[in-house]
Amino acid sequence: MNALLLRTVTSRLFWPVVMLLALVAINVIAFPGFLTITVKDGHLFGSVIDILRNGAPTLIIAVGMTLVIATRGIDLSVGAVAAISGAVACSILLGSSDPGSFGTVAVAVAVALLIALVLGVWNGFLVSVIGIQPIIATLILMTAGRGVAMLITEGQILTVDSAPFKALGSGFWFGLPVAVVIGAVIFALAALLTRRTALGMLIESVGINPEASRQAGVRARGLLFTVYTFCALSAGIAGLILTANQTAADANNTGLFIELDAILAVVIGGTSLAGGRYSLAGTLIGALVIQTLVTTVYTVGIPPIITMVFKAAVVTAVCLLQSPATNAAFARLRQRIAARHARVKEAAAS
């Protein structure tokens, strides 16, 4: 029993789950109706639903970020890509004679996602072909992307009046917010493609040892193109959701710092920044921890001015509990318990 308990404690998902449950408990104590979910006009409402809806953009980006980090990379440009995606969609809708038409919205969304794909290919090209370090390659687009979004919007906040477009951010499908459904679909597709095929193993092999993977016949360049393109596409989708929720494109604030939340979600979920093995389930839990943490700040009444400090403290605590030193300490404890049980058995046998 003790050995089983120690194996559970040393699991990569144990401490994130504990932190998530602790945050939920704090919210329940501060607001007893926190877990209450109501149905109005066939739609689900409640604090839990709000967490899922508001956390969906972070989760969508974090899924792509997980695959990038698994290859020993990083993508700092996702916030800028999200801003560009929203700016392109809103500019097309404003330039249309019928922004409320489903066809117009479909064209705007398609063009925005196509541009996101191109930006992802650009990042993949810089990393895999030119050989620039991922943090520098994506920093280029992170810096320039906001400027591009500002050029598209001409420095203005573009407000649109389009019911089909607004539905992406605040609409409902099957009783759930559209953002939650989209996030669930992207998560399920990523898990299916990477865990039910050899793709996930190839991504991990590139992250563990790129040179050995190349000599084994793995096409690392193609994989890098794929993960960076998928990450940018995820950012484009998240940007559309964020923009649709506001019904406005704000080049300065759309997706601001969302790259940091995505990276934190991946790290909290147990994926190492050194590359290699990754956990999409852990990323899901990490995204929920971050969004629940934000909700807790407002529920408990923590002043907004120290929100980032509180957030950093919680994330630091989770990361320390997941650290190699902590795992090594639990491993030594498990060995001592196993040795003690062996001595007890020997004494009983004699």
Side-chain angles (χ1 to χ4, degrees), residues 24-246:
V24 170
I26 292 172
N27 281 279
V28 170
I29 294 172
F31 178 57
F34 177 77
L35 296 178
T36 302
I37 297 177
T38 59
V39 180
K40 296 180 181 178
D41 300 324
H43 302 153
L44 299 179
F45 294 91
S47 298
V48 175
I49 302 299
D50 290 339
I51 289 174
L52 294 177
R53 183 182 65 246
N54 295 331
T58 300
L59 172 63
I60 292 171
I61 294 178
V63 168
M65 188 72 73
T66 301
L67 302 182
V68 169
I69 289 177
T71 63
R72 289 191 182 184
I74 199 83
D75 191 346
L76 300 179
S77 67
V78 289
V81 173
I84 292 173
S85 178
V88 169
C90 285
S91 63
I92 293 175
L93 291 175
L94 284 178
S96 171
S97 59
D98 187 12
S101 168
F102 179 81
T104 304
V105 173
V107 170
V109 169
V111 173
L113 294 182
L114 179 61
I115 291 177
L117 282 172
V118 172
L119 295 175
V121 171
W122 168 253
N123 283 337
F125 173 77
L126 292 180
V127 173
S128 64
V129 178
I130 305 300
I132 301 177
Q133 288 291 327
I135 191 171
I136 302 300
T138 56
L139 183 62
I140 294 172
L141 184 55
M142 175 186 177
T143 304
R146 293 285 173 183
V148 172
M150 289 288 289
L151 289 174
I152 295 173
T153 61
E154 297 181 352
Q156 305 296 318
I157 297 178
L158 304 182
T159 303
V160 297
D161 183 13
S162 174
F165 183 67
K166 184 179 180 180
L168 288 175
S170 57
F172 287 84
W173 285 343
F174 313 111
L176 292 172
V178 173
V180 175
V181 176
I182 294 175
V185 169
I186 292 175
F187 178 84
L189 287 176
L192 184 65
L193 290 175
T194 59
R195 291 311 187 191
R196 295 299 180 182
T197 69
L199 180 60
M201 182 183 64
L202 296 177
I203 290 174
E204 289 182 348
S205 67
V206 170
I208 294 171
N209 194 323
E211 181 59 25
S213 299
R214 185 187 66 80
Q215 293 182 2
V218 177
R219 297 182 178 179
R221 181 174 297 179
L223 282 174
L224 290 175
F225 265 108
T226 300
V227 296
Y228 279 98
T229 301
F230 175 70
C231 189
L233 177 63
S234 300
I237 295 173
L240 290 174
I241 293 174
L242 292 170
T243 304
N245 191 44
Q246 302 168 350

